[in-house]
Structure formats: structure tokens, C-alpha cells
Amino acid sequence: MYQHQFNCGHPAPFPLGKIVCVGRNYASHATELNNPVPEEPLLFIKPATAAVDIRRPIHLPVGRGSCHFEGELALLIGRRLRGANTAEVPPALAGLGLGLDLTLRTLQAQLKKAGHPWEKAKGFDHSCPLSPFVRLGSLPDWDALNYALWLNGELRQRGMTRQMLTPILDLVAYISNHFTLEPGDVVLTGTPSGVGELHRGDKITMQLQEDWLQVETRVA
């Protein structure tokens, strides 16, 4: 059963809640999938059963079409936020980490074409591998964070927060005005361009900043 951890190895003092995700928060990703760039954050939720430790092998759903990786910066909520403004967000963030928004792309395309919600393509069990979180002892420059994803040694994604359509603090405040955020909730902040299909035996490496956090996982 998944439990939040800090990168020092200590468990976080609150259980996992919901996982709030943001679609198309990088214009480059919207363009690569031929999607329109949204005028405001596009939100969806993964259930707690989607979470799994990213260091465990990834098991792709069988018989459900192609499964794509989407590397994202993850935020761990440490205090309740409801109807917050941007000044109230930083003290409520308990940690920074990395996550994968695994997506059944074929199914998602079918659901989008029919005008249906995406949850069946986004919220399946273990569709959200999460890293340990870096505890925030001092607040970072939110617009200067970067992360990267390598697939089988090839750099595939590089995300920089200054390129987000909705910056981190504005994004969390926006979410809290639609869904109350509780300690233990996670926010996935959107993926940059470079997503792609996963296959058995693939190796994924993700890095936050140059020296904050690095994790690896494989597709079983």
C-alpha cells in the first residue's frame, strides 16, 4: 500500500488523499497532441488507488491499447487550502517530488472523441507512480525549478516551471477554489512535450534540479 515518503527516508505525517492533475499546462505538450491550448487550467482527479512508489516496476494494463508516460513535477500538500490566494499557498506545500501521469492514450482518444471524461484512461490502478518528496526547509524560486526524464538513456522531457501556462502558486490557488486541498493530497502540475509510448523492459530515469532528487523505474 502506498505511503508518502520524504527523500530522507522518513514517512510523511499524513496519508495519501486525492491526486489533482492539470492537463495541457505546457503549450508545447498541447501542440504535440494537436490539442487546443486551454484558457484556464484543465483539471482532473486520479483516485488514491492510482498512486504507487515510482521505484517499483511499472505494470502496463493488458489489452487496453498504448500506455504513454507523462513526466511531471509533483507537489505534496501539507496544510488545508480552501479558496486560497497565492500568498497562502507556499506555507501549505510540504514537499516537491516527481510523478508519472500514465495514460492509456488509445482509450483517451476514444473518450475525447465521444465527449466523455478521461478518468478510465487516467485513473486506473497504479497510473500515478510518485517519487519520495523533497522536504521544503526553505522556499525555492518557484519560477526557476526544472526537471527531466530519460527513456532508456535518451532525454525525452525537460520541464521548466517558467514555461508553465499557469505558474505553480497560481495553479494551487486556482485548484483550491474548486476543490478543497487537504494534507496528503498531491498536485501534478502538467507535462512538457516529449511524451511517448511505454514498452516492456523500458527504463525511466527522472531528475529534479541537478542534485535534489533522482529516481529510476522499469516497465515490467
Side-chain angles (χ1 to χ4, degrees):
M1 185 174 180
Y2 175 84
Q3 182 179 8
H4 289 313
Q5 284 191 341
F6 290 115
N7 64 324
C8 61
H10 295 159
F14 22 70
L16 170 67
K18 59 187 172 293
I19 304 163
V20 183
C21 307
V22 185
R24 307 175 198 169
N25 200 23
Y26 287 83
S28 60
H29 174 57
T31 300
E32 75 175 342
L33 294 185
N34 297 314
N35 289 319
V37 176
E39 296 182 1
E40 60 182 273
L42 179 60
L43 305 180
F44 60 96
I45 291 178
K46 289 178 183 271
T49 48
V52 66
D53 191 318
I54 200 171
R55 296 165 294 186
R56 293 178 55 184
I58 294 172
H59 294 272
L60 302 179
V62 177
R64 301 183 68 186
S66 63
C67 184
H68 282 208
F69 65 87
E70 298 186 5
E72 309 201 11
L73 182 68
L75 310 174
L76 177 61
I77 304 299
R79 296 184 190 175
R80 192 171 192 261
L81 283 174
R82 181 180 182 186
N85 58 47
T86 55
E88 296 171 304
V89 172
L93 298 180
L96 285 171
L98 298 165
L100 291 172
D101 173 13
L102 299 182
T103 303
L104 296 173
R105 192 69 74 198
T106 305
L107 177 58
Q108 185 192 33
Q110 295 169 350
L111 294 169
K112 287 166 60 178
K113 185 176 180 180
H116 294 165
W118 302 351
E119 272 72 11
K120 289 191 290 186
K122 291 279 194 177
F124 56 93
D125 287 357
H126 298 176
S127 63
C128 187
L130 292 171
S131 76
F133 288 88
V134 177
R135 195 192 301 265
L136 293 177
S138 59
L139 297 181
D141 182 345
W142 299 105
D143 295 323
L145 298 173
N146 65 83
Y147 59 99
L149 181 149
W150 290 262
L151 180 66
N152 300 323
E154 176 189 358
L155 179 64
R156 293 292 298 270
Q157 292 191 279
R158 185 174 293 281
M160 291 171 276
T161 52
R162 68 173 179 270
Q163 296 176 343
M164 290 180 173
L165 295 175
T166 304
I168 286 179
L169 301 186
D170 297 272
L171 179 62
V172 176
Y174 177 89
I175 292 170
S176 79
N177 279 268
H178 293 274
F179 315 114
T180 297
L181 292 170
E182 300 281 3
D185 287 350
V186 172
V187 174
L188 292 186
T189 56
T191 195
S193 60
V195 305
E197 186 173 359
L198 289 173
H199 301 91
R200 188 173 183 179
D202 282 344
K203 176 184 176 182
I204 292 176
T205 304
M206 297 184 72
Q207 184 181 68
L208 174 60
Q209 302 293 86
E210 290 186 0
D211 56 358
W212 284 17
L213 181 68
Q214 181 169 308
V215 289
E216 295 183 353
T217 189
R218 288 186 177 273
V219 180

